[in-house]
Amino acid sequence: MTQKNPFKIAIASGKGGTGKTLVSTNLACYISQTQNCLLVDLDVEEPNDSLFFKEVLTPITLQYKMIPQWDESKCTLCGECSTNCKFHAVLQLGTFVAVFKELCHSCYACSELCATDALPMQMHPIGELHKLEKGYLTLVESRLNIEEEQAVPLIHKTHQWVDNNYSDTAIQIFDCPPGTSCPVVAATQNADFVILVTEPTPFGLNDLRLAVETMRHLKKQFGVVINRDGVGDESVVQYCQSEQIPILTRITFDKQIALHYSKGDIVYKKVDHVAKSMSEIMENIPFNN
């Protein structure tokens, strides 16, 4: 398969624990049997793709966001910064201006609107990138620093870094955070296709509906992978059929999958029907659309 531009596959789920990392790591390794593949772990608050590889991660670069720093000597206490900050990250308290970096969205409003340049923007470290290489596979791990409140700035920075450094890698897989909140929107924003991983349970169906609603709002092409097929009922299948959502594959519930996964194995190499599911996913992704 040859792509003129990188084809970006985001792997997401409406809830945690559905098998998103299982699909991400196995699909990336399956593709890398025959061509270069980039796997990016964007679950920045708890990245774990690297657990399934024996190679050691190498630090690449620190990532920063810009935070205003109050310069008391230049401040006239006019109050414009506090008034114009929509995120309540800058607050004037009498003769003191407090900056709450946890709330800052790096919009530059306070800094740009300050008539005396009393709030210059400063670099603040938010996380770091690591990578490992194994044959045709490259894994990039994005990890948020402890005590950082916002995952979205690091996800955006990681997208930018990948675009600048891996524009020649034809197939790129992004292991996204679970759920349907802002980090998921940020992680899937550049995706050409989104794989929603779910399970055939009432919880799986409920959260799949939320994920589908999110992807439709973002106008993304997407399909569903049903993991642990056989443990529940057919309600997820019926929902997908009624909504005309393509089911890319159904991964059968199998104790052997859990056994190998718990050991940190790449499961498709150990369980034949998982390899078949990876093949079905590749066959059903509309690369040419």
Side-chain angles (χ1 to χ4, degrees):
M1 183 186 307
T2 302
Q3 296 286 136
K4 293 182 179 179
N5 298 310
F7 191 89
K8 300 185 177 187
I9 304 169
I11 301 183
S13 60
K15 63 183 286 292
T18 59
K20 178 173 56 62
T21 297
L22 169 72
V23 174
S24 298
T25 53
N26 280 267
L27 185 61
C29 287
Y30 183 83
I31 294 169
S32 70
Q33 293 178 111
T34 56
Q35 63 179 308
N36 289 327
C37 181
L38 175 68
L39 172 60
V40 184
D41 195 343
L42 287 180
D43 190 0
V44 299
E45 294 178 88
E46 196 174 2
N48 63 354
D49 288 0
S50 63
L51 297 176
F52 298 89
F53 302 93
K54 305 300 184 283
E55 291 73 16
V56 177
L57 285 166
T58 302
I60 308 173
T61 181
L62 296 175
Q63 295 294 318
Y64 301 86
K65 72 175 183 178
M66 302 303 289
I67 300 292
Q69 181 174 321
W70 181 50
D71 186 342
E72 184 179 6
S73 66
K74 294 182 178 180
C75 184
T76 62
L77 300 172
C78 68
E80 284 295 313
C81 56
S82 181
T83 300
N84 288 290
C85 182
K86 303 304 181 184
F87 305 104
H88 307 292
V90 181
L91 185 63
Q92 183 176 337
L93 303 169
T95 59
F96 179 77
V97 174
V99 176
F100 301 96
K101 63 180 180 60
E102 296 84 2
L103 300 178
C104 181
H105 283 58
S106 303
C107 71
Y108 282 73
C110 63
S111 183
E112 294 293 333
L113 294 173
C114 180
T116 60
D117 296 322
L119 284 164
M121 302 297 284
Q122 303 290 329
M123 295 175 66
H124 170 72
I126 56 174
E128 52 189 301
L129 302 184
H130 297 78
K131 76 172 182 178
L132 64 80
E133 296 179 341
K134 182 178 183 179
Y136 288 135
L137 177 68
T138 299
L139 167 64
V140 173
E141 177 189 272
S142 184
R143 183 177 292 272
L144 192 68
N145 287 347
I146 295 173
E147 296 184 354
E148 285 299 316
E149 298 287 335
Q150 298 180 43
V152 171
L154 181 57
I155 292 172
H156 284 316
K157 290 288 187 180
T158 304
H159 276 305
Q160 293 170 7
W161 189 89
V162 167
D163 288 343
N164 290 334
N165 291 275
Y166 285 95
S167 60
D168 59 344
T169 303
I171 304 294
Q172 300 180 356
I173 295 176
F174 297 84
D175 186 1
C176 302
T180 54
S181 60
C182 295
V184 177
V185 174
T188 59
Q189 65 177 2
N190 297 326
D192 297 296
F193 189 82
V194 179
I195 297 174
L196 298 177
V197 184
T198 189
E199 56 188 20
T201 65
F203 288 113
L205 176 57
N206 177 75
D207 293 322
L208 175 62
R209 291 178 187 272
L210 297 174
V212 166
E213 181 180 346
T214 302
M215 292 305 114
R216 284 177 170 165
H217 182 76
L218 296 173
K219 295 180 171 55
K220 294 296 181 183
Q221 270 196 301
F222 62 92
V224 168
V225 168
I226 301 176
N227 189 31
R228 304 188 190 96
D229 190 44
V231 301
D233 54 30
E234 291 292 296
S235 58
V236 168
V237 174
Q238 293 166 3
Y239 167 72
C240 290
Q241 291 173 345
S242 67
E243 293 290 323
Q244 298 183 323
I245 300 168
I247 297 176
L248 306 177
T249 193
R250 299 168 70 166
I251 303 174
T252 304
F253 178 68
D254 188 338
K255 182 179 178 180
Q256 290 301 310
I257 295 177
L259 178 65
H260 289 294
Y261 189 80
S262 68
K263 293 179 179 179
D265 293 335
I266 297 300
V267 178
Y268 87 85
K269 296 180 179 181
K270 307 288 185 178
V271 182
D272 290 342
H273 69 81
V274 176
K276 182 174 182 293
S277 286
M278 297 301 108
S279 176
E280 290 174 348
I281 291 173
M282 291 300 291
E283 291 170 2
N284 290 318
I285 291 177
F287 286 99
N288 296 321
N289 289 351

